[in-house]
Amino acid sequence: MKFLLVEDNPDLAKAVCDRMHLDGHTIDHAENISDAIGFSETGDYDLILLDIMLPDGDGRSFLKRHRDQKRDTPVIVLTARSQVSDRISMLDLGADDYVTKPFDHEELQARCRAVLRRKAGTAQSVLQIKDVSFNPVAGVVTVCGKTINLRNRELRLLELLFNAPGQIFPKQKLVDRLFSYEEDVSENAVEVYIARLRKHLEGSALKITTHRGLGYRLDHD
């Protein structure tokens, strides 16, 4: 998954980014509303983590703008405000959930998973296509009844393809989803991960097909 963190506290931002990276997620970090707008309007994110008190204004203005533009990316608000009225106002503006500071990182991760499941319209943790099952939360993949070990980016690439079988993903879109803006990578990196996934899926009903000039698609027999 690719997240956008909008947070001006450098220590907290680093802690959140480090934890998300450990879980295999890609995360971009904006320190203010202006940068957050730039990221959100040019990037493709699965989830936004939004602080409220920012150097150039109130994060609720970003949230309102985000929803006014009909963007449906889930937003979890990170707030030090504990008043019920504050939480209600953020939910009414379009926040999907909120976490009160200081928070436990395990709770934040659990809330991220819950919001993403709701966005996908399912409460199940294990996805199944033919003879391949995938638990994105636990990072467990089973091919023909055998559990295989995937690296973090291999897992995230499989998750993208698994959630949209039959859809063609251009290389650049996969680069945008798998890597942050700070990482200088080429489209060749995607080819490497595609090759690794194909090897892991050998013998199963799933195939990653190449559509020249267009991208890659997950198909099954």
Side-chain angles (χ1 to χ4, degrees):
M1 293 290 181
K2 187 171 186 178
F3 297 168
L4 172 62
L5 171 65
V6 187
E7 170 61 60
D8 67 319
N9 182 311
D11 292 334
L12 178 57
K14 184 179 186 305
V16 172
C17 288
D18 287 349
R19 190 57 181 264
M20 293 302 176
H21 284 146
L22 282 176
D23 282 349
H25 300 298
T26 301
I27 185 165
D28 286 324
H29 172 218
E31 297 180 351
N32 52 58
I33 295 173
S34 178
D35 289 347
I37 291 173
F39 276 116
S40 65
E41 294 187 350
T42 58
D44 187 7
Y45 297 98
D46 296 293
L47 180 68
I48 296 174
L49 302 173
L50 175 66
D51 186 22
I52 292 300
M53 302 300 292
L54 295 163
D56 55 348
D58 192 316
R60 285 175 293 190
S61 65
F62 170 85
L63 177 59
K64 184 177 185 304
R65 175 192 176 99
H66 189 71
R67 294 307 184 215
D68 286 346
Q69 293 178 334
K70 308 302 180 185
R71 298 178 182 272
D72 62 354
T73 308
V75 176
I76 296 179
V77 171
L78 311 178
T79 178
R81 298 175 177 177
S82 58
Q83 294 294 322
V84 173
S85 59
D86 288 324
R87 300 198 296 268
I88 290 174
S89 70
M90 288 181 282
L91 293 172
D92 284 343
L93 280 174
D96 294 86
D97 201 352
Y98 61 86
V99 178
T100 304
K101 298 178 181 179
F103 53 80
D104 182 89
H105 288 281
E106 294 291 341
E107 178 188 1
L108 177 60
Q109 289 172 303
R111 288 183 180 271
C112 288
R113 292 193 295 269
V115 165
L116 291 169
R117 285 198 300 270
R118 291 200 299 270
K119 176 65 164 54
T122 177
Q124 66 180 1
S125 297
V126 179
L127 307 175
Q128 180 89 31
I129 300 179
K130 296 292 184 174
D131 50 5
V132 179
S133 66
F134 178 37
N135 184 329
V137 175
V140 176
V141 179
T142 303
V143 177
C144 301
K146 180 180 179 181
T147 300
I148 61 173
N149 295 317
L150 298 182
R151 297 178 182 179
N152 283 334
R153 281 208 174 95
E154 293 168 0
L155 282 168
R156 300 313 158 200
L157 175 57
L158 180 61
E159 184 173 14
L160 286 172
L161 299 173
F162 220 88
N163 283 324
Q167 176 180 327
I168 296 176
F169 286 86
K171 283 185 182 179
Q172 187 55 53
K173 183 178 181 66
L174 293 177
V175 169
D176 292 341
R177 296 298 300 274
L178 294 173
F179 301 94
S180 68
Y181 278 105
E182 297 177 350
E183 297 174 286
D184 184 18
V185 297
S186 70
E187 293 181 356
N188 292 336
V190 171
E191 295 178 6
V192 172
Y193 288 111
I194 288 289
R196 290 176 181 172
L197 273 186
R198 281 175 170 155
K199 186 174 181 179
H200 288 304
L201 294 173
E202 285 180 355
S204 75
L206 299 189
K207 311 293 180 187
I208 301 174
T209 57
T210 301
H211 295 261
R212 295 195 179 280
L214 296 175
Y216 301 100
R217 185 174 73 185
L218 184 67
D219 294 315
H220 57 76
D221 298 334

